[in-house]
Amino acid sequence: ILARTADKPRVRWDGDRAAIMTCAFTPGSCTLSAYRLTPAGFEWGRENKDMASAQPDGFTMACFERVQMLLSDRFMGFFMVPDNNGVWNYNFMGPMHRADMSYGLQLDVPRDFYDEMHRPSHFVNFAGMESSAADEVDLEDEFA
């Protein structure tokens, strides 16, 4: 995507100053990594037509290299988030995630980790607790 975007007129993209950041959630931790596109990776990305395969032809480890990442409270750049209402966190909706999911990307600010869109079942459970007749207190009918 970056290689094709850089070819557009009026787009300024410096491969030496740009980084691709990934985030992997594993039980009990979160791993952040940063990569830089190499000239070989830039050419491969420009010519690649296979956007659906997990292992497209010609893609090798030489297409990118790891770079140092400094975490700060100020980010200069943009975020690419899924275009399905910005839902990216499936930790609370595990059964809804599939390895073969397809989704588009858009430039936006990601939703918070605990955003209500990431945990809809929690709110359904709360609504069910308030309206359940089984939770009412049993009282004796003094007038019967």
Side-chain angles (χ1 to χ4, degrees):
I1 293 174
L2 290 174
R4 291 184 184 160
T5 304
D7 283 342
K8 303 274 188 233
R10 298 182 9 218
V11 173
R12 293 177 47 217
W13 186 74
D14 184 2
D16 291 329
R17 295 181 54 199
I20 301 165
M21 189 173 90
T22 63
C23 181
F25 293 102
T26 56
S29 69
C30 173
T31 303
L32 299 174
S33 302
Y35 301 92
R36 181 178 70 85
L37 200 58
T38 62
F42 184 81
E43 288 302 318
W44 175 85
R46 188 181 316 174
E47 297 169 4
N48 179 40
K49 303 291 185 224
D50 183 7
M51 300 299 280
S53 174
Q55 294 292 334
D57 289 336
F59 183 77
T60 65
M61 299 295 276
C63 291
F64 58 90
E65 62 185 13
R66 284 189 89 133
V67 293
Q68 182 179 3
M69 179 173 43
L70 176 67
L71 296 179
S72 170
D73 59 347
R74 295 182 184 181
F75 287 95
M76 294 182 64
F78 59 86
F79 296 96
M80 296 180 78
V81 299
D83 62 0
N84 58 350
N85 293 327
V87 174
W88 58 268
N89 180 5
Y90 286 90
N91 282 333
F92 303 109
M93 320 181 274
M96 292 179 67
H97 183 267
R98 296 184 333 269
D100 63 345
M101 290 175 70
S102 63
Y103 54 89
L105 296 173
Q106 65 185 12
L107 298 178
D108 202 355
V109 177
R111 292 183 180 270
D112 291 335
F113 185 84
Y114 288 108
D115 190 276
E116 64 186 49
M117 293 294 288
H118 293 149
R119 49 194 183 110
S121 62
H122 292 175
F123 294 96
V124 170
N125 292 342
F126 292 143
M129 286 173 31
E130 292 177 1
S131 64
S132 176
D135 291 338
E136 293 180 12
V137 178
D138 292 330
L139 297 176
E140 288 188 33
D141 187 358
E142 300 292 334
F143 300 108

